[in-house]
């Protein structure tokens, strides 16, 4: 198999950035603007899915598009400055670049707002693709030939597996390590501070650029055809 250049995909919210403060502030402002109760504390505990999936808890279906547009318009003023980088975020992107690879951010967030976050924080990936959630992320991951995808949500795990990429999960979002493993993550890290060391092992221990070891097995011991190293079937 001809190896591809190293490309690592990253989720944004709760993977590269701690978006809870900014999103909380935006929901508070949105509630004030619309005169509608929104439990912002609750909303920030279930980040990951598209905005519309949260708005349906607070607004009738016929208002979701309108309110979603308003939220996205308010977001730059209320959320960007309030949102910090996650620990290790800049170093993770730098580690990929230092390994001769490229990084692509693939997120469900509205793409212009995603780019504002990254620019404000000085995080510079090679590409940013917004508006994709869960299995939809596979489209961008395949387009950019990503061999691994790093994310905090089970939806990110599903997207990586749909794309045929190694799923590298970080337990920094709403899904804990056990839940991420149960969803099929190949690797689970505590946070992005562990990614540079993992990436060094990934590069040194004989992994192909599609996320499989050169003997045809993934990190979890399964081959491309679904068999484990001990010959048992998945």
């Amino acid at each position: 198999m001809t190896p591809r250049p190293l490309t690592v995909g990253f989720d944004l919210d709760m993977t590269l950035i701690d978006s809870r403060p900014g999103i909380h502030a935006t929901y508070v402002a949105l509630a004030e603007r619309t005169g509608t109760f929104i439990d912002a504390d609750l909303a920030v505990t279930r980040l990951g899915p598209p905005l519309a999936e949260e708005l349906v808890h607070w607004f009738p279906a016929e208002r979701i598009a309108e309110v979603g547009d308003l939220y996205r318009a308010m977001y730059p003023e209320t959320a960007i400055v309030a949102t910090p980088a996650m620990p290790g975020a800049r170093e993770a992107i730098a580690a990929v670049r230092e390994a001769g690879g490229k990084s692509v951010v693939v997120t469900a967030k509205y793409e212009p707002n995603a780019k504002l976050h990254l620019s404000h924080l000085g995080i510079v990936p090679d590409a940013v693709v917004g508006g994709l959630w869960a299995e939809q992320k596979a489209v961008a991951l395949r387009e950019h030939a990503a061999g691994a995808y790093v994310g905090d949500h089970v939806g990110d795990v599903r997207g990586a597996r749909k794309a045929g990429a190694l799923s590298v999960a970080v337990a920094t979002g709403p899904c804990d390590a056990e839940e991420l493993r149960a969803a099929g993550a190949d690797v689970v890290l505590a946070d992005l501070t562990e990614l540079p060391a993992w990436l060094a092992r990934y590069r040194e221990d004989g992994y192909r650029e599609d996320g499989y070891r050169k003997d045809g097995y993934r990190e979890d011991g399964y081959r491309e055809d679904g068999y484990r190293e001990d010959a048992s079937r998945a």
Side-chain angles (χ1 to χ4, degrees):
M1 178 177 179
T2 302
R4 295 173 291 183
L6 172 67
T7 299
V8 179
F10 289 87
D11 176 48
L12 184 65
D13 286 17
M14 303 311 299
T15 298
L16 288 172
I17 65 173
D18 184 350
S19 52
R20 290 172 296 184
I23 289 177
H24 188 282
T26 306
Y27 278 128
V28 169
L30 183 67
E32 292 175 353
R33 178 78 68 87
T34 61
T36 301
F37 172 74
I38 300 173
D39 187 339
D41 291 337
L42 176 60
V44 297
T45 67
R46 49 195 186 199
L47 300 180
L51 174 63
E53 294 191 20
E54 182 62 39
L55 293 180
V56 296
H57 295 289
W58 316 110
F59 295 91
E62 63 271 16
R63 294 198 64 197
I64 298 305
E66 164 213 340
V67 175
D69 287 344
L70 177 59
Y71 174 100
R72 285 185 283 269
M74 298 172 64
Y75 192 93
E77 183 176 347
T78 56
I80 302 303
V81 174
T83 298
M86 294 294 280
R90 296 179 183 87
E91 293 82 358
I93 297 291
V96 175
R97 184 168 292 114
E98 289 165 6
K102 294 183 178 181
S103 58
V104 54
V105 173
V106 182
T107 174
K109 190 178 290 298
Y110 180 54
E111 188 173 308
N113 288 342
K115 289 179 176 178
L116 286 175
H117 275 301
L118 294 166
S119 175
H120 175 73
L121 294 170
I123 298 173
V124 187
D126 294 281
V128 180
V129 181
L132 299 177
W133 161 241
E135 287 84 355
Q136 297 170 345
K137 293 186 175 188
V139 175
L141 295 173
R142 287 171 176 160
E143 179 180 346
H144 289 273
Y149 183 59
V150 184
D152 66 281
H153 199 283
V154 294
D156 299 322
V157 176
R158 300 201 312 265
R161 298 189 74 84
K162 179 74 172 179
L166 195 76
S167 172
V168 181
V170 286
T172 51
C175 305
D176 62 24
E178 183 177 351
E179 188 176 359
L180 292 164
R181 289 191 186 94
D186 299 299
V187 181
V188 179
L189 307 177
D191 57 35
L192 286 179
T193 64
E194 297 182 358
L195 191 131
W198 171 80
L199 183 64
R201 294 193 302 272
Y202 172 82
R203 298 291 287 161
E204 293 170 2
D205 291 350
Y207 282 83
R208 299 190 325 218
E209 303 306 335
D210 60 357
Y212 286 86
R213 299 200 310 249
K214 290 182 180 178
D215 62 5
Y217 290 90
R218 295 198 312 258
E219 233 180 73
D220 62 1
Y222 284 96
R223 286 200 320 241
E224 294 163 281
D225 58 9
Y227 284 90
R228 291 184 55 84
E229 291 177 272
D230 62 7
S232 62
R233 182 70 177 173

